[in-house]
Amino acid sequence: MSVHIEAKAGEVADKILLPGDPLRAKFIAENFLEDAVCYNNVRGMLGYTGTYKGERVSVQGTGMGMPSAGIYAQELIQSYGVKKLVRVGTCGALSKDVHVRDLVIAQSAVTSSSMVAKHFPGFHFPPIADFELLQKAYTVAKEKEFTTHVGNVLSEDTFYKDDLDPTFRLAEYGVLGVEMEAAILYYLGAKFNVQALAIMTVSDHMITGEETTAEERQNTFKDMMYVGLETVIA
Ligand code: HPA
């Protein structure tokens, strides 16, 4: 057991998908994994272990935002020995070249959060993806002809902002989209020398206001699940 996960030793696979929404963890377990068993229901933050193409894989909800996602990721790494972590989530598009339903693979994550900066006084540590996972995810997505972008994303602490100017300025520097978890995942990957990647489907557009329907979100979510699972078992 760890503080927020009630799984016993050995119940969590060393490869894991991390959706923010715990009900998405349930969806993945029920639709993509065989023989899935629920190992966590503490705070309703569901976690399951099953098999995908014969490989043991877990899927764990993380909640929204870096404080929550950081807790689950760190406990999974430190207490359960997880070695490959792939976030599967959503982001708001910032680039005009990125559209709703596209896939965004975060090569790196710029962040305004103190959660990374506080550990490196005087430095700006760049949280970056694991290259092997990144390359695999990109290859799988391209093979399936999913519209996919690779680049920087913005990991924010706040979903609602008083002033969007700094966010839009980052778009001018090629930042593809905004979400709330990748930077802490990449920081923890570096801290514990494990592999981490964040893949997002674009759910809305911060500049054009494009949005997806619930059904479209579900379908593109399935495409992302496929990419995430193929990546994590590689
Ligand atoms: N910010 C804005 N739009 C979004 C986000 C976010 O963190 N996630 C999904 N759409």
Side-chain angles (χ1 to χ4, degrees):
M1 272 186 73
S2 61
V3 178
H4 301 91
I5 302 173
E6 62 190 340
K8 297 186 196 70
E11 288 185 338
V12 183
D14 64 355
K15 307 170 174 75
I16 201 159
L17 292 195
L18 302 173
D21 180 352
L23 292 179
R24 288 253 161 103
K26 185 167 188 271
F27 179 91
I28 296 165
E30 288 174 352
N31 291 279
F32 288 89
L33 301 186
E34 283 170 35
D35 305 320
V37 174
C38 181
Y39 64 74
N40 191 56
N41 197 14
V42 176
R43 291 174 182 249
M45 202 57 83
L46 297 165
Y48 299 82
T49 299
T51 58
Y52 177 77
K53 296 191 174 172
E55 292 278 337
R56 246 177 125 236
V57 173
S58 293
V59 51
Q60 170 69 55
T62 65
M64 289 180 282
M66 287 183 267
S68 182
I71 287 171
Y72 291 100
Q74 183 151 349
E75 290 184 19
L76 289 165
I77 297 164
Q78 277 197 299
S79 302
Y80 295 99
V82 176
K83 300 279 186 240
K84 282 189 190 182
L85 303 94
V86 177
R87 159 166 159 69
V88 281
T90 58
C91 70
L94 277 175
S95 163
K96 291 200 177 77
D97 298 330
V98 176
H99 299 283
V100 292
R101 297 188 296 282
D102 290 359
L103 284 185
V104 170
I105 303 176
Q107 186 176 11
S108 54
V110 56
T111 185
S112 53
S113 176
S114 64
M115 284 191 71
V116 174
K118 69 193 290 184
H119 302 290
F120 307 100
F123 299 91
H124 297 279
F125 181 83
I128 61 165
D130 176 78
F131 181 71
E132 197 180 79
L133 293 183
L134 172 64
Q135 195 177 34
K136 179 69 188 176
Y138 184 71
T139 304
V140 171
K142 279 290 171 191
E143 274 167 9
K144 285 282 176 186
E145 299 185 355
F146 300 147
T147 307
T148 305
H149 310 267
V150 178
N152 223 342
V153 301
L154 168 62
S155 297
E156 283 273 59
D157 283 332
T158 48
F159 186 88
Y160 300 106
K161 302 172 214 336
D162 288 347
D163 177 8
L164 276 168
D165 284 352
T167 307
F168 291 153
R169 193 171 315 124
L170 286 169
E172 293 169 19
Y173 287 75
V175 174
L176 299 171
V178 53
E179 54 83 72
M180 300 182 73
E181 292 84 14
I184 195 67
L185 190 62
Y186 289 179
Y187 161 78
L188 290 170
K191 177 175 171 66
F192 293 109
N193 192 26
V194 296
Q195 294 178 278
L197 182 70
I199 310 172
M200 276 74 64
T201 60
V202 177
S203 57
D204 53 271
H205 204 296
M206 303 283 289
I207 295 169
T208 65
E210 270 181 90
E211 282 179 358
T212 42
T213 63
E215 192 189 346
E216 286 171 336
R217 273 202 297 277
Q218 195 69 296
N219 288 336
T220 44
F221 182 71
K222 285 185 189 159
D223 295 345
M224 177 175 57
M225 274 11 303
Y226 174 78
V227 175
L229 284 163
E230 292 289 323
T231 300
V232 86
I233 64 164

